[in-house]
Amino acid sequence: MKHNDPKLLLQSAPLLRQELTTPGAMKEVWLALLPTTLASLWFFGLSALLLIVVSIAGAVLTEWLFTDKDKRRMAIGDSSAGLTGLLLALTLPPGLPLWMAFLGAVVSIGLGKVIWGGLGANIFNPALLGRAFLLGTFPIAMTTWGSPSGLGDFFHLQSSNLAWPFMHGQIDALSAATPLGLMKFQQQTTAISSLFIGNTAGSLGETSAFLLLLGGMYLLIRRSIDWRIPTAIFLTAAIFSLAMFINDADKYPSPIVTLFSGGLLLGAFFMATDPVTSPLTPKGCWIFGIGVGFLVVLIRLFGGLPEGMLYAVLLMNAATPLIDRYTQPRIFGRK
Amino acid sequence: MSQSKNYEQEPSSNRLVASMAIAGFISGVIIIAIYLATFNTIKDNKARELRQAVFKVLPNVSYMQKLYFENNTLVIAKSDGMDDDMIFAGYDKQGKFIGYAIQGKGAGFQDTIHLLFGYLPEKQLMTGMAILESRETPGLGDKIFKDMHFVGEFVNHLMKQAIKAVKKGTKSHDYEIDAITGATISSKAVVRLMNAAFNRWSPKLSPLGQEPVFQMSKQTQGSLDSSQIQPESPNIQIGK
Amino acid sequence: MATDASAYEEMLKGLWRENPTFVQVLGMCPMLAVTNSATNALVMGLATLFVLVGSSLLVSSFKRWIPKQVRISLYIIIIATFVTVVDYSLLALVPAIHKELGAFIPLIVANCMILGRQEAFASKHSIKYAVMDAIGMSLGFLIALLALGSVREILGSGSLFNVDLFGANFEPWVIMILPPGGFLTLGLLLLFFNWFTERRKQFLLKVAQADQSVAIVGVKDNG
């Protein structure tokens, strides 16, 4: 409702308004993810581009298909479905067959979002739900990591990307272990400098700590995300892993490796802070972040999987309604 | 009308008890009947399964003798059935000792894994492995018996030291075997159970040259008593 | 032969209108646990059929002698007897499948669909109706088991009744043969069933309205 030259403006409360709208908030996140996305193209070439495009297409298509006719323009227009697609793509290994990425995006939006009632009604982060489905469904394809042999060779395409639907891909000879996998199964540490720059094996968007920090800082400065959640995650994960590192330095990674490796940064800045699936109250945000930070290190060091960010965030998503309930600020005057 | 009258009156406790007792009795009779009717088939099925496994893991064997470890030596088992504390000694047609089939049992990824492996003490050689019982994840963990590469790793494996499962393709020593991709925990459980069973049994096995002697039952020469087992059709070579 | 038609009707209602799985949502434990292959689903369905028809027959025949104070215990004794018969028969005849179904054969006793049928139907109707109702309900249950089992086996193992469908390069959807796949598939099937029923209802409503308006128009024409 725009009024040009209003003579008299009649309005009911609230009279103070923020400029924050859903499409606006989404745009901020897109912008913050830009460096990481470009870097994934640099590291993994055409494979990354195709995965991102297919994943976004799958997400948007599903949203369009399952939304009411009258709400379609709005649902697609706020670009949240596309963002879910991009976030999902950034958590996928570069050699994943494209049809799996498409399926993951369909599940993300279909089972992770529209089935709950669309934007704002879902319990779990849709992108992570899609990734959890893919990890459960195709455990081998989802844990086969190509090394970042693209490195500027944009036309590099991993042959397993082009597998026919329902068929498995030809696994490239060049399969590598992620820094976390190396640590867990072979007790090898990866140099912090390569973790920082990102020329290690891993998912599309988790390799470069520097660019993720850049994007995260942007969101924090623009106040698009709650600063408490990432802070709590980093502090808890660092303290917990420091305690373990002091205990046995050969077996457990140092806090810096913990923070810079795997999906911790990506998850802490872009997934745990999802306003729909994280608590509303400041105290709740602290509890949520501490929970994620604790669980991720617990799963990484003592669980069966090398990476725990996915399940850490999903578990805390499930706890969010409870956290919200117990951290409601007391109404003044009530006991 | 008579029925509604019945409902109004509280039936006596005796009647309630009697009806329960009659139903229970009839039910019991039926259950005993079905138990007796199927008992032999079920027993045969179980014995056949173990028998097949025993002859699979220990090739070129014609007869098996069930043994227990008692009073610091291996003694011939008297019992009819099979149990977890048993070890099987295998002999060829002439009654010459070949090797042992050893059982291992313990926690897998989901439930207990019960396995059996063949061992030739003379050559310190493991001759093969079979999973008797497991509830590992279908599609992943069940590869411990479906993945022929993994099963094949235990054929002619030299037991100089404890086996170690390593990521597929990174094998660098003789004692290492390839774990199954995507089922590392199940593969490691199998190896752990084998090592445990081996450590448990290897000090108890008779020293070389004093292997347990195969004894045909005395009453009817040439027939087997209940402590001995033979393959279904001894003419067929098993273990190929 | 009006009675025959209504007995037939008692059977048909279990297949669709009062389907034990899709409408009543009963017997979820075997539905989720043993449907990781079509063969398992079939065997479980047949075992349930045998138990349900047998118990309904007995309960309906003896309903006059079953005191209502102990009826549930007596139903359970009857059901448990049939379940034990099935359990031992399967163990003797198809040991491999019995191994896969495992604890879920004895757990048929606890299948609320079976006890529910005794309490709600067999104890109040004549033998013929009780048996027809039992057949209908267990066939409905069998159809649901098979639907779930087929979807899960096709996606999870790339085969149907152990017949390979896609060839060697098929990438199995591991999650489908695990418990989460059971929940996902069941949820999606329920969604589809309800959507279809809703569509059908609206369609019938439209047809009825159209009929009515035609009738009204016809009356006006006459007038």
Side-chain angles (χ1 to χ4, degrees), chain A residues 99-100 103 111 133 136-139 166-168, chain C residues 155 166 168-175 184 188:
Chain A
W99 68 270
M100 292 183 190
L103 181 77
L111 296 182
F133 176 84
T137 309
F138 310 112
F166 295 102
M167 301 296 150
H168 58 69
Chain C
L155 291 178
F166 295 96
N169 276 330
F170 179 74
E171 173 83 32
W173 299 28
V174 177
I175 203 170
L184 280 177
L188 291 176

Side-chain angles (χ1 to χ4, degrees), chain A residues 270-314:
Chain A
F270 297 97
M271 283 148 186
T273 53
D274 175 0
V276 177
T277 55
S278 59
L280 298 166
T281 58
K283 206 164 130 199
C285 285
W286 281 112
I287 298 175
F288 181 86
I290 290 170
V292 172
F294 177 73
L295 282 172
V296 67
V297 178
L298 193 73
I299 297 173
R300 278 185 186 183
L301 299 187
F302 303 104
L305 298 164
E307 171 59 315
M309 199 58 192
L310 165 69
Y311 293 117
V313 175
L314 285 178

Side-chain angles (χ1 to χ4, degrees), chain B residues 67-211:
Chain B
L67 302 171
Y68 275 123
F69 187 75
E70 267 168 21
N71 305 327
N72 292 326
T73 73
L74 287 171
V75 293
I76 290 166
K78 293 283 186 308
S79 83
D80 207 14
M82 312 242 186
D83 64 53
D84 298 348
D85 291 324
M86 236 169 222
I87 186 168
F88 305 95
Y91 306 87
D92 67 6
K93 261 189 201 124
Q94 284 76 41
K96 197 172 149 273
F97 173 80
I98 295 179
Y100 296 103
I102 300 172
Q103 303 186 74
K105 202 170 186 177
F109 182 58
Q110 289 193 336
D111 204 343
T112 306
I113 296 179
H114 188 182
L115 56 78
L116 191 75
F117 61 91
Y119 177 65
L120 307 183
E122 207 178 330
K123 300 173 185 161
Q124 286 187 303
L125 208 62
M126 186 180 272
T127 52
M129 178 273 285
I131 304 288
L132 297 174
E133 215 179 320
S134 77
R135 288 202 183 281
E136 299 303 283
T137 321
L140 290 175
D142 67 354
K143 285 190 184 163
I144 55 174
F145 58 93
K146 285 187 176 160
D147 184 339
M148 280 306 129
H149 177 79
F150 181 73
V151 175
E153 289 280 53
F154 301 98
V155 177
N156 294 331
H157 181 94
L158 206 57
M159 284 297 283
K160 281 264 164 58
Q161 56 177 302
I163 315 171
K164 198 176 166 218
V166 295
K167 196 173 182 261
K168 201 165 184 170
T170 60
K171 192 156 100 171
S172 55
H173 299 281
D174 276 349
Y175 60 88
E176 290 175 338
I177 57 123
D178 287 339
I180 301 162
T181 314
T184 321
I185 296 176
S186 296
S187 332
K188 286 194 171 160
V190 166
V191 167
R192 193 188 66 235
L193 294 179
M194 278 183 173
N195 288 332
F198 185 73
N199 290 338
R200 176 184 163 202
W201 280 103
S202 61
K204 297 179 182 171
L205 301 177
S206 312
L208 286 179
Q210 294 175 35
E211 290 87 6

Side-chain angles (χ1 to χ4, degrees), chain A residues 8-20:
Chain A
L8 176 68
L9 197 64
L10 282 177
Q11 233 175 323
S12 61
L15 299 169
L16 275 174
R17 287 215 181 134
Q18 253 187 324
E19 284 304 304
L20 190 67

Side-chain angles (χ1 to χ4, degrees), chain A residues 95-167:
Chain A
L96 193 76
L98 294 175
W99 68 270
M100 292 183 190
F102 187 82
L103 181 77
V106 171
V107 169
S108 284
I109 296 294
L111 296 182
K113 192 171 155 195
V114 289
I115 210 166
W116 304 94
L119 186 70
N122 46 306
I123 297 179
F124 296 104
N125 183 303
L128 285 182
L129 195 97
R131 181 180 152 80
F133 176 84
L134 285 179
L135 190 63
T137 309
F138 310 112
I140 296 172
M142 284 293 286
T143 48
T144 307
W145 313 94
S147 50
S149 45
L151 283 185
D153 173 12
F154 180 74
F155 292 102
H156 178 79
L157 182 64
Q158 304 203 10
S159 55
S160 56
N161 282 137
L162 297 178
W164 287 100
F166 295 102
M167 301 296 150

Side-chain angles (χ1 to χ4, degrees), chain A residues 50-101:
Chain A
L50 285 176
L51 278 174
I52 291 171
V53 168
V54 164
S55 175
I56 292 178
V60 173
L61 201 71
T62 314
E63 176 96 26
W64 185 81
L65 208 66
F66 287 108
T67 318
D68 275 356
K69 275 199 192 96
D70 349 330
K71 292 181 191 159
R72 268 179 191 159
R73 185 180 289 267
M74 211 177 84
I76 308 293
D78 68 17
S79 79
S80 65
L83 188 63
T84 299
L86 176 65
L87 278 172
L88 173 71
L90 291 179
T91 65
L92 299 178
L96 193 76
L98 294 175
W99 68 270
M100 292 183 190

